[in-house]
């Protein structure tokens, strides 16, 4: 086995396939099948959310180590056509930081027509690009927005960009992008504004989902006793709204849903820490440097970029990918005594 030290996690260029059944898709030792691909395309970001990035941003990835548009399109195509991936989501860092985002999306849309192409974004500057992105083939959008209080937003993200984010969300709704979903990470400092955020989302016709904060911040300051659990959020929202528990949309959807004030609007909660859904996880991740990561919390990665640039054909790349997923951990281990946060933060993996 070759290991390459990149100053980040252990990167392997060969993987163990012992015991793996001879199937085309991305199955693991516990019977899970990965069908949802997250593609990080950059480490750069226009915000510095405290639960994700260090104040100075992530170390720059040299251009030659980043996947180029042709490489991204090739890997997305083989994931869909050979490995059974059914949805592709671009993330980062902030995907809008890449000037060639429209080209990447258009290239994927051409190669995998009919496969939903989604993006998770902070929406800074989205207003000016959403039409071109939709024309390129982007079909769904999730925007991260934790508060509609400008002061709280500025201190949480270390940037005073709330007006641009709200304009981006409204522009996405205005061009008919559907659904537009909002992701909000639950933090103690924004909990008091959770009801205002939900009311704003109801008024704007966008779906809100709260996410429990995971130990994936670059500063390694996460502490279980400081995080806001789903139950606490529900008791806060319950004082302002009538909530009816609906459960999950489908088995692999991490959000549990509540009908708000008799419906039709719902609010979701992704209780990644207190109600971990690892047993149903269907994700596979491609980092901006072209490594496969089977779990957010496992630092072991398999290098497809190196293999690709050394001349590997599509089936060889697919086999490396299958091997990476076969070795996926059973769970994130957050509750175990020897849990240690991964070397990469959320922004460096791709959320
Ligand atoms: N910049 C884009 C954005 O913010 O939507 C995409 C990348 S961001 C890393 C993807 C998602 O990860 C966002 O919804 C963000 O809120 C979430 N995230 C970041 N750090 C997190 C953490 N420590 N726990 C839970 N979610 C986190
Ligand atoms: Fe940037 Fe998204 Fe991380 Fe916030 S959550 S710092 S917007 S990558």
């Amino acid at each position: 086995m070759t290991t390459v030290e990149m100053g980040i996690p252990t990167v392997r260029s060969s993987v163990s396939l012992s015991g793996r059944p001879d199937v085309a898709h991305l199955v693991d030792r516990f019977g899970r099948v990965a069908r949802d691909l997250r593609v990080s395309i950059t480490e750069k970001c226009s915000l510095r959310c405290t639960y994700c990035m260090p104040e100075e941003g992530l170390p720059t990835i040299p251009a030659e180590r980043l996947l180029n548009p042709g490489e991204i399109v090739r890997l997305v195509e083989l994931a869909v056509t050979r490995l059974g991936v059914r949805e592709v989501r671009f993330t980062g860092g902030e995907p809008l930081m890449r000037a060639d985002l429209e080209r990447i999306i258009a290239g994927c849309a051409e190669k995998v027509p009919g496969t939903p192409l989604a993006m998770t974004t902070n929406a800074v500057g989205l207003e000016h690009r959403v039409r071109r992105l939709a024309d390129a083939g982007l079909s769904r959008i999730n925007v991260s927005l934790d508060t509609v209080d400008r002061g709280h937003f500025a201190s949480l993200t270390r940037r005073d960009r709330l007006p641009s984010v709200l304009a981006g969300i409204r522009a996405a709704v205005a061009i008919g992008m559907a659904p537009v979903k909002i992701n909000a990470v639950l933090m103690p400092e924004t909990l008091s504004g959770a009801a205002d955020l939900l009311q704003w989302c109801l008024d704007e016709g966008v779906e809100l989902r709260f996410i429990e904060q995971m130990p994936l911040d670059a500063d390694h300051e996460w502490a279980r006793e400081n995080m806001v659990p789903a139950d606490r959020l529900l008791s806060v929202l319950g004082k302002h709204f009538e909530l009816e528990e609906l459960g999950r949309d489908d088995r692999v959807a991490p959000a549990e849903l509540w009908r708000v004030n008799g419906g039709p609007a719902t609010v979701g909660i992704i209780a990644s820490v207190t109600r971990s859904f690892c047993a149903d996880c269907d994700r596979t991740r491609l980092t901006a440097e072209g490594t496969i990561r089977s779990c957010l919390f496992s630092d072991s990665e398999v290098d497809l970029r190196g293999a690709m640039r050394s001349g590997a054909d599509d089936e060889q790349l697919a086999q490396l990918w299958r091997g990476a997923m076969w070795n996926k951990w059973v769970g994130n281990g957050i509750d175990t005594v020897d849990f240690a946060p991964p070397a990469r933060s959320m922004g460096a993996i791709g959320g």
Side-chain angles (χ1 to χ4, degrees):
M1 184 180 295
T2 314
T3 53
V4 184
E5 190 47 67
M6 297 170 68
I8 47 166
T10 309
V11 177
R12 296 178 290 159
S13 58
S14 68
V15 287
S16 161
L17 283 172
S18 60
R20 186 185 182 281
D22 186 20
V23 292
H25 291 175
L26 296 172
V27 294
D28 69 33
R29 291 167 296 158
F30 307 97
R32 295 167 296 190
V33 184
R35 300 199 180 278
D36 179 351
L37 168 61
R38 304 282 150 119
V39 183
S40 175
I41 57 173
T42 181
E43 81 296 358
K44 294 191 172 35
C45 190
S46 44
L47 302 180
R48 295 287 184 274
C49 306
T50 52
Y51 50 75
C52 176
M53 289 254 173
E55 185 151 20
E56 65 283 10
L58 292 167
T60 302
I61 303 174
E64 69 279 7
R65 292 219 327 240
L66 269 185
L67 292 184
N68 63 41
E71 291 170 329
I72 295 171
V73 172
R74 178 177 174 197
L75 293 176
V76 165
E77 183 182 9
L78 86 79
V80 171
T81 58
R82 288 176 188 255
L83 299 173
V85 161
R86 291 188 184 151
E87 175 169 349
V88 180
R89 176 171 293 278
F90 298 99
T91 179
E94 173 48 47
L96 292 170
M97 297 298 282
R98 268 188 85 147
D100 53 9
L101 177 60
E102 287 82 351
R103 201 172 133 207
I104 293 168
I105 290 172
C108 292
E110 187 192 336
K111 296 293 183 187
V112 293
T115 302
L117 299 177
M119 172 171 77
T120 301
T121 174
N122 64 28
V124 172
L126 177 67
E127 182 190 6
H128 309 293
R129 285 173 81 179
V130 71
R131 165 58 65 199
R132 273 180 283 144
L133 290 166
D135 289 346
L138 187 70
S139 39
R140 298 178 190 170
I141 203 158
N142 283 21
V143 176
S144 301
L145 172 66
D146 303 320
T147 174
V148 285
D149 179 291
R150 191 163 172 173
H152 284 161
F153 183 96
S155 67
L156 197 65
T157 65
R158 303 175 173 119
R159 300 286 186 274
D160 182 20
R161 302 305 305 276
L162 181 64
S164 177
V165 173
L166 301 187
I169 296 169
R170 287 182 172 132
V173 172
I175 67 156
M177 185 81 70
V180 175
K181 290 189 180 172
I182 306 298
N183 295 342
V185 175
L186 273 166
M187 296 295 283
E189 54 269 53
T190 46
L191 184 61
S192 62
D196 287 346
L197 177 61
L198 176 53
Q199 189 59 55
W200 187 88
C201 291
L202 295 173
D203 294 344
E204 300 287 332
V206 291
E207 289 178 41
L208 174 61
R209 301 174 326 166
F210 289 95
I211 307 171
E212 282 180 347
Q213 184 203 3
M214 293 182 276
L216 289 167
D217 55 312
D219 296 330
H220 296 306
E221 280 178 359
W222 182 92
R224 186 179 259 278
E225 54 279 16
N226 296 338
M227 65 159 281
V228 181
D231 288 349
R232 194 152 147 230
L233 170 73
L234 280 170
S235 70
V236 168
L237 292 182
K239 292 187 183 126
H240 302 265
F241 302 93
E242 191 190 308
L243 299 175
E244 180 197 341
E245 188 166 357
L246 298 174
R248 289 195 203 171
D249 256 0
D250 78 63
R251 198 175 56 83
V252 293
E256 295 169 69
L257 299 179
W258 277 261
R259 194 192 312 283
V260 184
N261 293 342
T266 57
V267 62
I269 302 185
I270 302 180
S272 343
V273 176
T274 60
R275 292 176 222 165
S276 154
F277 40 84
C278 296
D280 293 324
C281 178
D282 71 340
R283 305 224 168 123
T284 180
R285 291 187 154 80
L286 176 63
T287 67
E289 295 126 301
T291 58
I292 296 300
R293 195 160 168 121
S294 57
C295 172
L296 280 171
F297 290 89
S298 160
D299 273 333
S300 178
E301 298 178 359
V302 171
D303 178 21
L304 294 191
R305 186 198 69 215
M308 193 160 43
R309 292 184 186 172
S310 307
D313 65 23
D314 282 359
E315 190 44 37
Q316 288 168 325
L317 294 172
Q319 199 58 356
L320 279 172
W321 203 325
R322 291 182 191 112
M325 296 309 294
W326 176 246
N327 290 314
K328 181 170 174 157
W329 291 3
V330 65
N332 59 32
I334 295 177
D335 285 322
T336 57
V337 279
D338 53 354
F339 172 77
R344 283 187 193 259
S345 60
M346 187 67 131
I349 302 168

